[in-house]
């Protein structure tokens, strides 16, 4: 068989030459497009389910959320194990699959199974899937450099409601996580003595504020041959300044006694303030606001970083003086790894050619053998491209 192959290659030299050129071209293209990372992904094939239930103890989270979810997710096809963890106000369930199970197929099966368990969970509790990324998906860190007159709370709002959503729209980005600063809240600081004086439970205030923050739609009214839609506007803060929003909440009626309304301002103080936090972002001794860009599973990190940096450059003109400064990206590590690998392959190929020449003492035969060495490397990249293997 080998003799037949050799005879064919000698007779059909043009075909072999064209096939070799095509193979080299496809291998070169594959080497440029195969997802390339400096850090091998040795993590398990897993899907994570996150559930928030604010204010609840770890014991409540375990009994009412983590345990029912863990039991239900054990029925997911292809799953090897289900592990749960309960924290204050937060539940974390990890479903691990066999390595040969497709990542997105596993996510769809877990999402399908979650629909069967939603009825057994507490009201207003909705489990969600974690972003479609791996533990090594954090490829780009950045901070926001504000103008002198901007505080950390306003800077965090810019990050949460503008920069974050803009970067999440970049192709290949799974999530942008905000870090640092203060999340602004409208806080209702209730006076317990006033509650006792008016004999009003705390739940009444909570229900009143919730009920006042809603738009109401009705039917239509015909007038002059035209039809007008009736709408009652009630969303707190809609088109209002910060002080007007505080006044709206303060003037909310909790209940009425003998025709006299008892308002939120009679029971509590309404103000803006920072949400509770358990950490901060420090940059060179100064507190800062920033974010972490997480790459989607299976993407090429260098390409994603290039698209993120292009998006950052286009955003800065719309941020009112805020500068986005990248403090870490994986490109440098990848480039250095590729340079080391390229240098090593070049040196090994050269040494192999020298050894072949010394053994064969025939330059033409040595060159023929030497050509196959880089072709073998390109063939490996071509196979990786065809079978979806990452170069990490």
């Amino acid at each position: 068989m080998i003799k037949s192959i050799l005879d064919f290659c000698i007779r059909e030299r043009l075909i072999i030459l064209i096939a070799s050129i095509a193979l080299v071209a496809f291998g070169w293209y594959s080497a440029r497009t195969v997802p390339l990372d400096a850090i091998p992904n040795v993590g398990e094939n897993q899907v994570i389910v996150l559930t928030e239930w604010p204010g609840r103890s770890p014991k409540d989270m375990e009994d009412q959320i983590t345990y029912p979810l863990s039991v239900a997710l054990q029925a997911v096809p292809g799953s090897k194990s289900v592990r749960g963890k309960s924290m204050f106000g937060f539940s974390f369930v990890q479903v691990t699959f066999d390595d040969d199970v497709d990542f997105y197929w596993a996510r769809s099966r877990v999402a399908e199974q979650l629909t069967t368990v939603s009825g057994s969970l507490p009201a207003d509790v909705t489990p969600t899937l974690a972003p479609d990324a791996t533990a090594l998906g954090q490829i780009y860190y950045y901070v926001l450099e504000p103008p002198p007159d901007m505080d950390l709370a306003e800077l965090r709002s810019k990050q949460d409601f503008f920069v974050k959503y803009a970067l999440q729209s970049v192709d290949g980005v799974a999530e942008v996580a905000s870090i640092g600063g203060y999340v602004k809240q409208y806080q209702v600081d209730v006076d317990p003595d006033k509650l006792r004086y008016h004999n009003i439970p705390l739940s009444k205030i909570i229900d009143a504020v919730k009920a006042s923050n809603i738009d109401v739609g009705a039917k239509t009214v015909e007038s002059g041959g035209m039809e007008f839609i009736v709408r009652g506007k009630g969303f707190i803060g809609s088109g209002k300044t910060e002080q007007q929003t505080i006044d709206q909440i303060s003037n909310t009626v909790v209940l009425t006694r003998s025709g006299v309304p008892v308002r939120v301002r009679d029971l509590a103080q309404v103000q803006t303030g920072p949400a509770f936090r358990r950490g901060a972002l420090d940059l060179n001794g100064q507190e800062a606001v920033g974010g972490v860009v997480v790459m989607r599973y299976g993407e090429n990190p260098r390409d994603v970083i290039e698209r993120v940096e292009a998006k950052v450059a286009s955003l800065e003109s719309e941020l009112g003086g805020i500068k986005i400064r990248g403090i870490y990206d994986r490109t440098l590590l990848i480039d250095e790894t590729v340079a080391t690998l390229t240098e090593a392959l070049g040196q090994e190929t050269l040494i192999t050619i020298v050894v072949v020449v010394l053994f064969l003492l025939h330059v033409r035969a040595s060159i023929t053998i030497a050509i196959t060495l880089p072709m073998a490397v390109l063939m490996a990249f071509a196979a990786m491209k065809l079978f979806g293997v990452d170069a990490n």
Side-chain angles (χ1 to χ4, degrees):
M1 180 179 178
I2 296 177
K3 183 177 182 301
S4 302
I5 295 174
L6 292 176
D7 290 340
F8 175 81
C9 294
I10 293 172
R11 289 195 313 268
E12 306 294 343
R13 296 178 183 178
L14 181 60
I15 295 177
I16 298 302
L17 179 62
I18 294 174
S20 300
I21 294 174
L23 182 61
V24 168
F26 181 67
W28 179 258
Y29 167 77
S30 301
R32 304 290 296 178
T33 57
V34 165
L36 179 63
D37 205 343
I39 306 172
N41 182 16
V42 296
E44 295 180 304
N45 185 11
Q46 60 186 17
V47 179
I48 297 173
V49 179
L50 307 175
T51 311
E52 288 189 79
W53 197 17
R56 304 294 174 168
S57 69
K59 177 63 175 175
D60 292 337
M61 299 297 298
E62 176 71 24
D63 294 342
Q64 300 191 47
I65 294 181
T66 305
Y67 178 74
L69 284 177
S70 300
V71 171
L73 293 176
Q74 287 179 355
V76 175
S79 62
K80 286 197 307 184
S81 64
V82 179
R83 300 184 181 93
K85 183 177 181 181
S86 302
M87 296 164 279
F88 181 77
F90 199 78
S91 171
F92 176 100
V93 179
Q94 172 185 311
V95 185
T96 304
F97 291 84
D98 294 322
D99 290 337
D100 58 348
V101 175
D102 180 73
F103 179 77
Y104 287 102
W105 184 89
R107 288 177 63 86
S108 65
R109 297 285 76 79
V110 171
E112 183 181 87
Q113 190 67 21
L114 287 178
T115 61
T116 65
V117 73
S118 58
S120 62
L121 298 179
D124 301 326
V125 172
T126 305
T128 59
L129 296 184
D132 51 339
T134 67
L136 299 174
Q138 300 179 8
I139 59 172
Y140 189 82
Y141 291 24
Y142 65 90
V143 295
L144 304 183
E145 297 181 342
D149 58 341
M150 185 174 292
D151 60 21
L152 291 174
E154 186 178 355
L155 193 62
R156 176 61 184 260
S157 297
K158 283 284 188 180
Q159 158 64 21
D160 286 341
F161 299 106
F162 188 83
V163 178
K164 176 180 178 179
Y165 294 141
L167 294 182
Q168 279 183 341
S169 67
V170 175
D171 187 26
V173 173
E175 182 190 29
V176 178
S178 300
I179 309 174
Y182 299 96
V183 178
K184 188 172 74 171
Q185 289 182 332
Y186 289 97
Q187 300 173 341
V188 181
D189 189 6
V190 180
D191 188 337
D193 294 330
K194 292 181 179 180
L195 286 181
R196 283 193 293 268
Y197 175 78
H198 290 279
N199 194 25
I200 296 176
L202 180 62
S203 58
K204 280 282 187 181
I205 300 180
I206 297 173
D207 294 340
V209 174
K210 284 183 179 179
S212 67
N213 185 28
I214 188 172
D215 275 5
V216 179
K219 294 185 178 181
T220 59
V221 175
E222 294 185 4
S223 176
M226 299 181 66
E227 191 176 70
F228 297 90
I229 298 175
V230 179
R231 176 190 175 202
K233 297 180 65 177
F235 279 132
I236 293 174
S238 178
K240 301 292 192 297
T241 64
E242 182 177 299
Q243 185 56 48
Q244 288 173 327
T245 302
I246 291 176
D247 293 339
Q248 281 182 325
I249 301 173
S250 299
N251 292 325
T252 299
V253 177
V254 179
L255 55 78
T256 302
R257 285 183 177 149
S258 302
V260 179
V262 179
R263 305 178 187 272
V264 171
R265 68 186 181 206
D266 300 323
L267 305 170
Q269 179 182 359
V270 182
Q271 61 190 9
T272 59
F276 175 76
R277 65 175 188 170
R278 306 182 73 174
L281 176 62
D282 179 270
L283 179 66
N284 299 328
Q286 298 290 328
E287 190 171 351
V289 175
V292 178
V293 178
V294 182
M295 178 185 67
R296 216 176 278 280
Y297 172 80
E299 292 286 339
N300 192 328
R302 283 202 293 191
D303 293 344
V304 177
I305 291 172
E306 288 178 3
R307 291 193 288 265
V308 168
E309 289 178 339
K311 188 69 173 181
V312 166
S314 67
L315 280 179
E316 290 189 342
S317 60
E318 307 174 23
L319 292 177
I322 298 175
K323 301 295 183 182
I324 302 177
R325 175 186 167 195
I327 58 175
Y328 165 79
D329 71 71
R330 203 177 290 170
T331 304
L332 179 60
L333 179 60
I334 295 172
D335 290 343
E336 289 182 350
T337 304
V338 171
T340 302
L341 176 62
T342 304
E343 182 181 358
L345 286 175
Q347 293 173 352
E348 292 168 0
T349 302
L350 183 60
I351 293 171
T352 304
I353 292 173
V354 172
V355 171
V356 170
V357 170
L358 292 176
F359 270 86
L360 296 181
L361 297 177
H362 192 284
V363 177
R364 183 178 175 184
S366 302
I367 293 175
T368 303
I369 295 173
I371 290 174
T372 62
L373 298 177
M375 287 183 63
V377 176
L378 294 176
M379 288 172 62
F381 276 104
M384 292 165 66
K385 178 72 174 179
L386 291 173
F387 293 102
V389 179
D390 296 345
N392 53 32

